[in-house]
mmCIF file of all heavy atoms in Angstrom:
data_model
loop_
_atom_site.group_PDB
_atom_site.id
_atom_site.type_symbol
_atom_site.label_atom_id
_atom_site.label_comp_id
_atom_site.label_asym_id
_atom_site.label_seq_id
_atom_site.Cartn_x
_atom_site.Cartn_y
_atom_site.Cartn_z
ATOM 1 N N HIS A 43 -1.638 12.906 -14.717
ATOM 2 C CA HIS A 43 -2.118 12.100 -13.593
ATOM 3 C C HIS A 43 -0.970 11.280 -12.982
ATOM 4 O O HIS A 43 -0.761 11.294 -11.765
ATOM 5 C CB HIS A 43 -3.226 11.184 -14.115
ATOM 6 C CG HIS A 43 -3.911 10.385 -13.077
ATOM 7 N ND1 HIS A 43 -4.741 10.923 -12.129
ATOM 8 C CD2 HIS A 43 -3.889 9.058 -12.832
ATOM 9 C CE1 HIS A 43 -5.199 9.967 -11.355
ATOM 10 N NE2 HIS A 43 -4.704 8.817 -11.748
ATOM 11 N N GLU A 47 0.841 11.897 -9.183
ATOM 12 C CA GLU A 47 0.863 10.784 -8.224
ATOM 13 C C GLU A 47 2.302 10.434 -7.849
ATOM 14 O O GLU A 47 2.622 10.239 -6.682
ATOM 15 C CB GLU A 47 0.168 9.549 -8.810
ATOM 16 C CG GLU A 47 -1.337 9.693 -8.828
ATOM 17 C CD GLU A 47 -2.054 8.388 -9.137
ATOM 18 O OE1 GLU A 47 -1.543 7.582 -9.955
ATOM 19 O OE2 GLU A 47 -3.125 8.183 -8.570
ATOM 20 N N TYR A 52 2.146 9.535 -4.094
ATOM 21 C CA TYR A 52 2.748 8.281 -3.628
ATOM 22 C C TYR A 52 3.798 8.507 -2.533
ATOM 23 O O TYR A 52 3.735 7.867 -1.481
ATOM 24 C CB TYR A 52 3.338 7.484 -4.803
ATOM 25 C CG TYR A 52 2.326 6.934 -5.801
ATOM 26 C CD1 TYR A 52 2.753 6.420 -7.022
ATOM 27 C CD2 TYR A 52 0.962 6.916 -5.543
ATOM 28 C CE1 TYR A 52 1.852 5.901 -7.948
ATOM 29 C CE2 TYR A 52 0.050 6.407 -6.463
ATOM 30 C CZ TYR A 52 0.492 5.899 -7.662
ATOM 31 O OH TYR A 52 -0.387 5.398 -8.572
ATOM 32 N N HIS A 71 1.951 2.118 -13.761
ATOM 33 C CA HIS A 71 2.197 3.366 -14.498
ATOM 34 C C HIS A 71 3.209 3.125 -15.615
ATOM 35 O O HIS A 71 3.051 3.627 -16.732
ATOM 36 C CB HIS A 71 2.755 4.446 -13.561
ATOM 37 C CG HIS A 71 1.711 5.161 -12.769
ATOM 38 N ND1 HIS A 71 1.980 6.271 -12.011
ATOM 39 C CD2 HIS A 71 0.385 4.908 -12.611
ATOM 40 C CE1 HIS A 71 0.865 6.692 -11.428
ATOM 41 N NE2 HIS A 71 -0.115 5.878 -11.758
ATOM 42 N N HIS A 105 -5.833 -0.362 -13.008
ATOM 43 C CA HIS A 105 -5.084 0.512 -12.098
ATOM 44 C C HIS A 105 -6.030 1.400 -11.277
ATOM 45 O O HIS A 105 -5.868 1.546 -10.058
ATOM 46 C CB HIS A 105 -4.117 1.349 -12.933
ATOM 47 C CG HIS A 105 -3.317 2.324 -12.162
ATOM 48 N ND1 HIS A 105 -2.286 1.938 -11.333
ATOM 49 C CD2 HIS A 105 -3.380 3.671 -12.075
ATOM 50 C CE1 HIS A 105 -1.758 3.025 -10.778
ATOM 51 N NE2 HIS A 105 -2.403 4.079 -11.203
ATOM 52 N N GLU A 109 -6.549 1.467 -7.176
ATOM 53 C CA GLU A 109 -6.383 2.686 -6.385
ATOM 54 C C GLU A 109 -7.650 2.987 -5.591
ATOM 55 O O GLU A 109 -7.575 3.274 -4.400
ATOM 56 C CB GLU A 109 -6.047 3.873 -7.298
ATOM 57 C CG GLU A 109 -4.637 3.776 -7.853
ATOM 58 C CD GLU A 109 -4.109 5.080 -8.425
ATOM 59 O OE1 GLU A 109 -4.899 5.941 -8.835
ATOM 60 O OE2 GLU A 109 -2.884 5.220 -8.473
HETATM 61 FE FE1 LIG B 201 -2.128 6.043 -10.769
#
Side-chain angles (χ1 to χ4, degrees):
H43 185 69
E47 285 192 324
Y52 293 168
H71 278 189
H105 178 72
E109 288 197 335

